[in-house]
Amino acid sequence: MLWSYTPEYPEAEDKRSKIVYQYDLDGLLLATFGSAREASKHLGIGLSSITRCCRGECKQTSGYKFSYL
């Protein structure tokens, strides 16, 4: 057998994640995130709150609107 080590692996793209759009309460687009988890970490808002808004279960959270579009 021959073993080898490759220190750099290409990052696998998570096909489950969806792009999340952040809006103010007037509907103005403020930011775009690669996933709800990324938006949660960046904004300090709970992940479940963001995903509920994206699914339409609530209208806004923490003064922002979110959608998957």
Side-chain angles (χ1 to χ4, degrees), residues 2-4 6-7 12 17 19-21 28 34 37 40-41 47 50-51 55 57 68:
L2 177 65
W3 290 89
S4 67
T6 305
S17 64
I19 295 174
V20 173
Y21 299 93
L28 180 67
R37 183 173 305 279
S40 174
K41 287 181 181 179
L47 176 62
I50 293 173
T51 56
R55 291 191 307 255
E57 295 174 12
Y68 289 133

Side-chain angles (χ1 to χ4, degrees), residues 17-24 29-45 47 50 54 64-69:
S17 64
K18 297 178 185 176
I19 295 174
V20 173
Y21 299 93
Q22 176 193 14
Y23 300 92
D24 65 6
L29 180 65
L30 299 176
T32 304
F33 299 98
S35 67
R37 183 173 305 279
E38 180 184 332
S40 174
K41 287 181 181 179
H42 183 76
L43 299 171
I45 301 172
L47 176 62
I50 293 173
C54 289
Y64 300 109
K65 294 180 181 180
F66 295 92
S67 74
Y68 289 133
L69 196 56

Side-chain angles (χ1 to χ4, degrees), residues 25 45 49-50 52-53 58-66:
L25 295 179
I45 301 172
S49 298
I50 293 173
R52 282 187 311 191
C53 286
C58 64
K59 294 189 180 211
Q60 59 94 19
T61 185
S62 301
Y64 300 109
K65 294 180 181 180
F66 295 92

